[in-house]
Amino acid sequence: MHRVTAMKNIVYIATSLDGYIADRDGGLDWLHSIPNPDHSDFGWAEFMAGVDALVMGRTTFETVCGFDCDWPYNKPVFVLSNTLTEIPENYQDKAELVSGALPEIINTLNKRGFENLYIDGGKTVQSFLTEDLIDDLIITQIPVLLGGGSRLFSDLPAHQAYELVNSEVLLGAMIKNHYRRVR
Ligand SMILES: NC(=O)c1ccc[n+]([C@@H]2O[C@H](COP(=O)([O-])OP(=O)(O)OC[C@H]3O[C@@H](n4cnc5c(N)ncnc54)[C@H](OP(=O)(O)O)[C@@H]3O)[C@@H](O)[C@H]2O)c1
């Protein structure tokens, strides 16, 4: 159970053992490498119910647009990009472009009533962490070594301490850890 309180920037993501969130080809098949006969969502819907909006990088947005399934989010999506000039027509009712300094973006979204933000995408999470703007990290570790690809973490200017809120073993194979920033 992850009860989310007001004004938080939360990462909810899956990584390989070696810390990648996509393989060298951008592939995500490995996310589904553990048999899941009951089709558990591992708490994703419950987590989504507690957030007000998503902030994701352009690469992640384009990946999700390319999925062969219905749009997976029932909350507004804000797409970080300095190159896109507009959201593709089919997605204009689902997503909005944002750019600029992250504290200002967050501040604007908070003032619009979007207080709990789900932050998604490798470079995006790295940028938020560099500015120490992440409150919660919920990371599910999949037992595979990808050997290369898109990293979740990058170098940071200083240490950041986190406390463990919860830890779950999923299907006897994956570990979902919820960490909270200690400030
Ligand atoms: N394993 C998982 O759970 C999981 C979750 C999410 C994503 N993924 C995968 O991971 C990969 C993520 O790609 P990615 O690491 O390139 O990152 P990303 O964060 O999705 O996208 C990065 C892009 O966001 C834009 N951007 C604008 N302002 C930014 C800022 N302040 N900080 C960071 N980005 C900013 C830039 O786009 P412009 O060039 O347009 O300016 C930048 O190139 C994708 O393949 C995705 O499918 C996996």
Side-chain angles (χ1 to χ4, degrees):
M1 272 292 239
H2 304 299
R3 186 70 204 110
V4 176
T5 53
M7 297 280 202
K8 278 187 174 212
N9 301 323
I10 309 150
V11 174
Y12 187 103
I13 206 158
T15 72
S16 64
L17 282 185
D18 46 354
Y20 294 101
I21 58 166
D23 71 19
R24 283 195 183 91
D25 306 317
L28 300 171
D29 290 355
W30 54 278
L31 288 174
H32 309 289
S33 54
I34 303 300
N36 178 11
D38 296 333
H39 306 290
S40 170
D41 74 352
F42 307 118
W44 194 77
E46 186 190 348
F47 167 74
M48 279 299 296
V51 302
D52 301 312
L54 293 89
V55 177
M56 67 172 61
R58 193 250 311 157
T59 313
T60 297
F61 171 67
E62 289 177 344
T63 304
V64 176
C65 291
F67 286 161
D68 187 17
C69 67
D70 292 339
W71 186 245
Y73 309 114
N74 57 6
K75 300 288 166 77
V77 172
F78 296 93
V79 181
L80 283 170
S81 177
N82 298 311
T83 60
L84 284 183
T85 51
E86 61 175 17
I87 294 288
E89 206 176 318
N90 295 352
Y91 298 95
Q92 283 180 359
D93 58 338
K94 301 176 175 70
E96 191 179 311
L97 273 181
V98 287
S99 63
L102 295 182
E104 281 169 30
I105 292 172
I106 295 167
N107 202 12
T108 306
L109 293 179
N110 288 165
K111 281 192 185 140
R112 286 173 62 182
F114 304 113
E115 299 191 331
N116 291 311
L117 301 175
Y118 172 1
I119 313 300
D120 205 14
K123 289 189 184 129
T124 298
V125 170
Q126 292 169 16
S127 301
F128 272 74
L129 285 172
T130 298
E131 299 194 46
D132 201 359
L133 293 170
I134 295 296
D135 300 294
D136 285 48
L137 286 167
I138 302 170
I139 301 175
T140 299
Q141 207 175 49
I142 317 282
V144 60
L145 294 170
L146 295 179
S150 305
R151 288 189 181 282
L152 174 58
F153 295 115
S154 60
D155 288 353
L156 291 172
H159 292 192
Q160 294 178 15
Y162 291 80
E163 63 186 353
L164 184 66
V165 176
N166 191 46
S167 184
E168 272 176 88
V169 177
L170 306 174
L171 300 173
M174 303 175 280
I175 301 181
K176 181 177 176 184
N177 285 321
H178 182 168
Y179 298 100
R180 181 157 298 146
R181 181 79 170 100
V182 179
R183 297 188 191 278

